[in-house]
């Protein structure tokens, strides 16, 4: 597999991360500040949209597993077909309709469509790893390229959208002399003043949506022209696709897959909790209100530049050994919670980026090994690849959603009030627990399960030889 082919494959998946990052950072502000819908309705739109994306994963896996081979492959037609609709749904997700009463339904519809369509792209795109090359090293290398571009896409999405729409918002900055009364409601201290010209600000958001829509089209063109999907080289002519329900049952009974999925469910939930509460922690519990945007960039840049390092590390020392790098964030996060300090915060951000890079790269690098192991045990079936990938994405999305839901519920229970400059001591304690103790426990549990993951470097080589013989 050539370097050009790996780059084209990696670039093809970047637009999803660019758009997802822009939505993650700015959609809530847009719904509240530009569309003027209530915070409750905004949270409803975001939650139902995320849930629709998770539910679409197994549905996408079901239909894609039944697809027939075409001149351009079995997975490529799905990605080509859904991209134009994804661009349209993304564009209208940032459009301000002239009516007011139905705006919640408008944004709910297009956000759910966007989440579902990105899933229809992501499932075949991630499964495409298995059809790039028969060589395990090539697939691992392609995965490293992909993860690097996805992290860069996340960084570009946040920066690009932020630069374009910055003039649409005037952020509220708390003064140094913070009022001692912390019981005021958030209506008393508005975070986002009403826009002086909503129409011009809406045009700015539409420009940003158009730019990112163009990134989508560019990415799919590069993917289509630069990547050639190869048919399953281990399938016999008489093989038939495994029925989806039977294949799902077989994957749920496959030991390596169950252990890998259970481990990274816990680890990914820990990383999501760390990421989603980091800005809140810096703002309200660590006194770093004016630095959190730079800390987020530090995390993303650290993650992007360290993925090649992790790729070399796992090639030299093995994938299970590389998983230990995920635990690096634990001691430093605990130190930041106990000793808030600016220099320490940047160091924690850098180390967290290293750990996040490992947590992103490893599951996608280990999944092809699991699929190969399953293929060796079930040599007379095909079409199971999308079942593995779609069910893995479904489980990780659901676990992260549940974790974030519990996190938000904990903040509301302890009395968190958006917009005020100083939160109560209960809220600050909750943020410290969500940043320090909870991720530490989840990561340690995930790594403990990973100790029982049976696929080693030796067994990978044996599986490779056995599949070559079968081929």
């Amino acid at each position: 597999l050539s370097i050009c082919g790996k780059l084209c494959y990696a670039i093809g998946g970047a637009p999803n991360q660019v758009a997802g990052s822009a939505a993650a950072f700015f959609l809530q502000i847009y719904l509240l500040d530009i569309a003027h819908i209530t915070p409750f309705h905004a949270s409803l739109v975001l939650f139902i949209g995320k849930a629709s994306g998770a539910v679409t994963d197994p549905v996408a896996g079901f239909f894609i597993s039944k697809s027939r081979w075409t001149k351009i492959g079995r997975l490529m037609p799905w990605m080509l077909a859904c991209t134009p609709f994804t661009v349209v749904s993304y564009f209208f997700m940032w459009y301000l309709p002239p009516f007011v009463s139905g705006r919640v339904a408008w944004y709910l519809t297009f956000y759910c469509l966007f989440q579902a369509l990105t899933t229809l792209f992501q499932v075949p795109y991630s499964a495409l790893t298995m059809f790039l090359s028969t060589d395990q090293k090539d697939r691992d290398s392609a995965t490293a390229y992909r993860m690097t571009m996805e992290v860069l896409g996340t960084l570009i999405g946040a920066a690009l959208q932020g630069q374009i729409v910055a003039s649409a918002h005037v952020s509220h900055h708390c003064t140094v002399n913070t009022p001692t009364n912390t019981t005021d409601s958030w209506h008393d201290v508005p975070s986002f003043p009403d826009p002086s010209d909503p129409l011009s600000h809406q045009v700015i958001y539409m420009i940003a949506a158009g730019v990112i829509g163009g990134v989508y089209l560019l990415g799919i063109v590069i993917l289509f022209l630069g990547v050639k999907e190869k048919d399953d080289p281990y399938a016999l002519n008489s093989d038939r696709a495994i029925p989806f329900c039977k294949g799902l049952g077989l994957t749920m009974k496959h030991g390596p897959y169950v252990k890998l999925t259970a481990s990274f469910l816990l680890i990914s939930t820990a990383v999501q909790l760390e990421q989603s509460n980091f800005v809140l922690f810096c703002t309200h519990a660590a006194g770093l209100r004016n630095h959190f945007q730079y800390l987020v960039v530090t995390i993303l840049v650290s993650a992007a530049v360290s993925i090649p390092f992790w790729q070399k590390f796992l090639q030299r020392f093995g994938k299970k050994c590389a998983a230990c790098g995920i635990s690096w964030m634990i001691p430093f996060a605990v130190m930041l919670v106990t000793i808030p300090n600016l220099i320490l915060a940047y160091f924690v951000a850098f180390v967290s980026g290293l750990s996040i890079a490992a947590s992103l790269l490893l599951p996608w690098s280990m999944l092809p090994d699991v699929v190969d192991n399953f293929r060796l045990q079930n040599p007379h079936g095909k079409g199971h690849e999308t079942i593995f990938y779609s069910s893995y994405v479904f489980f990780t999305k659901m676990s992260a959603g549940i974790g974030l839901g519990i996190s938000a519920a904990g903040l509301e229970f302890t009395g968190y009030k958006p917009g005020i400059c100083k939160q109560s001591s209960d809220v600050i304690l909750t943020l410290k627990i969500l940043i320090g103790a909870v991720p530490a426990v989840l990561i340690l549990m995930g790594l403990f399960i990973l100790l029982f993951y049976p696929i080693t470097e030796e067994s990978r080589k044996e599986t490779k030889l056995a599949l070559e013989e079968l081929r």
Side-chain angles (χ1 to χ4, degrees):
L1 190 64
S2 66
I3 293 177
C4 180
K6 296 173 190 176
L7 277 173
C8 291
Y9 171 65
I11 291 171
N16 252 0
Q17 306 305 316
V18 174
S21 174
F25 279 99
F26 292 96
L27 184 58
Q28 188 170 9
I29 266 189
Y30 171 82
L31 294 174
L32 297 172
D33 195 19
I34 306 296
H36 293 291
I37 67 175
T38 66
F40 171 74
H41 286 134
S43 63
L44 202 64
V45 169
L46 297 173
F47 175 76
I48 295 176
K50 286 288 185 184
S52 69
V55 171
T56 309
D57 283 302
V59 177
F62 173 77
F63 286 107
I64 293 170
S65 67
K66 291 182 173 295
S67 302
R68 295 183 178 181
W69 188 266
T70 67
K71 292 182 179 179
I72 58 173
R74 185 161 63 91
L75 304 175
M76 191 67 74
W78 284 90
M79 293 180 277
L80 289 173
C82 72
T83 297
F85 298 102
T86 305
V87 172
V88 171
S89 64
Y90 183 79
F91 186 78
F92 281 110
M93 195 171 78
W94 302 98
Y95 176 72
L96 188 68
F99 47 85
V100 177
S101 59
R103 283 183 182 176
V104 175
W106 174 278
Y107 291 114
L108 183 60
T109 300
F110 283 104
Y111 187 53
C112 287
L113 274 175
F114 173 71
Q115 288 290 334
L117 288 166
T118 53
T119 298
L120 283 176
F121 180 93
Q122 192 66 26
V123 170
Y125 173 75
S126 56
L128 184 61
T129 310
M130 297 300 300
F131 301 96
L132 296 175
S133 172
T134 59
D135 186 78
Q136 293 175 347
K137 289 184 178 179
D138 272 348
R139 292 196 307 240
D140 289 346
S141 179
T143 300
Y145 275 78
R146 171 192 158 195
M147 289 298 109
T148 303
M149 288 304 302
E150 287 193 354
V151 175
L152 285 174
T154 302
L155 179 61
I156 291 169
L160 183 66
Q161 182 92 351
Q163 289 298 317
I164 295 175
V165 307
S167 61
H169 300 280
V170 179
S171 299
H172 171 76
H173 294 284
C174 295
T175 59
V176 177
N177 298 319
T178 306
T180 56
N181 181 15
T182 61
T183 61
D184 295 338
S185 71
W186 69 285
H187 298 286
D188 297 329
V189 189
S191 294
F192 307 109
D194 289 336
S196 57
D197 188 358
L199 184 61
S200 66
H201 294 164
Q202 168 60 26
V203 171
I204 291 172
Y205 267 97
M206 298 298 291
I207 292 171
V211 170
I212 292 179
V215 172
Y216 257 107
L217 297 176
L218 179 63
I220 192 63
V221 168
I222 292 174
L223 180 68
F224 176 69
L225 296 178
V227 176
K228 184 179 180 182
E229 184 181 345
K230 299 176 183 177
D231 200 3
D232 189 347
Y234 304 129
L236 306 178
N237 291 332
S238 60
D239 285 350
R240 294 182 179 180
I242 300 175
F244 182 82
C245 292
K246 180 182 177 182
L248 187 60
L250 289 173
T251 57
M252 292 301 102
K253 296 176 183 177
H254 191 59
Y257 179 72
V258 172
K259 292 180 176 67
L260 179 70
T261 303
S263 172
F264 279 98
L265 284 185
L266 296 169
I267 292 170
S268 63
T269 303
V271 172
Q272 286 282 338
L273 285 172
E274 196 87 32
Q275 289 177 319
S276 63
N277 291 291
F278 186 75
V279 172
L280 286 172
F281 172 80
C282 290
T283 304
H284 299 294
L288 302 171
R289 181 184 299 273
N290 297 324
H291 294 272
F292 71 80
Q293 64 269 37
Y294 306 113
L295 291 168
V296 169
V297 170
T298 303
I299 292 173
L300 294 174
V301 170
S302 171
V305 299
S306 63
I307 284 180
F309 161 76
W310 285 118
Q311 175 63 17
K312 294 291 184 183
F313 187 95
L314 65 86
Q315 285 179 347
R316 184 175 180 87
F317 299 104
K319 297 178 182 179
K320 287 180 70 173
C321 185
C324 297
I326 300 171
S327 65
W328 290 358
M329 73 169 73
I330 295 176
F332 298 104
V334 171
M335 286 175 62
L336 180 63
V337 167
T338 54
I339 316 170
N341 178 273
L342 180 60
I343 297 175
L344 181 62
Y346 276 99
F347 188 66
V348 169
F350 175 77
V351 175
S352 296
L354 298 179
S355 295
I356 289 169
S359 71
L360 289 173
L361 176 63
L362 281 170
W364 295 111
S365 181
M366 297 165 87
L367 260 178
D369 302 335
V370 172
V371 176
D372 278 347
N373 183 271
F374 179 86
R375 181 58 173 160
L376 190 61
Q377 297 181 20
N378 300 271
H380 292 283
K382 61 186 300 184
H384 53 275
E385 297 83 7
T386 52
I387 299 174
F388 275 98
Y389 281 87
S390 63
S391 55
Y392 175 79
V393 173
F394 169 76
F395 288 129
T396 51
K397 280 185 180 179
M398 288 303 293
S399 67
I402 292 170
L404 294 178
I406 294 173
S407 167
L411 289 173
E412 181 157 353
F413 178 76
T414 53
Y416 177 80
K417 296 178 181 179
I420 65 174
C421 293
K422 188 176 181 181
Q423 299 288 342
S424 67
S425 57
D426 289 340
V427 172
I428 293 173
L429 177 62
T430 303
L431 287 170
K432 289 182 177 181
I433 292 172
L434 290 172
I435 282 289
V438 177
V441 172
L442 291 174
I443 288 173
L444 291 174
M445 289 171 60
L447 292 176
F448 178 75
I449 294 173
L450 201 61
L451 289 175
F452 301 97
Y453 176 69
I455 298 178
T456 62
E457 296 305 304
E458 291 74 18
S459 65
R460 284 180 65 217
K461 293 176 182 177
E462 293 171 1
T463 301
K464 178 183 177 182
L465 292 173
L467 288 177
E468 287 177 354
E469 181 65 25
L470 177 65
R471 179 186 176 194

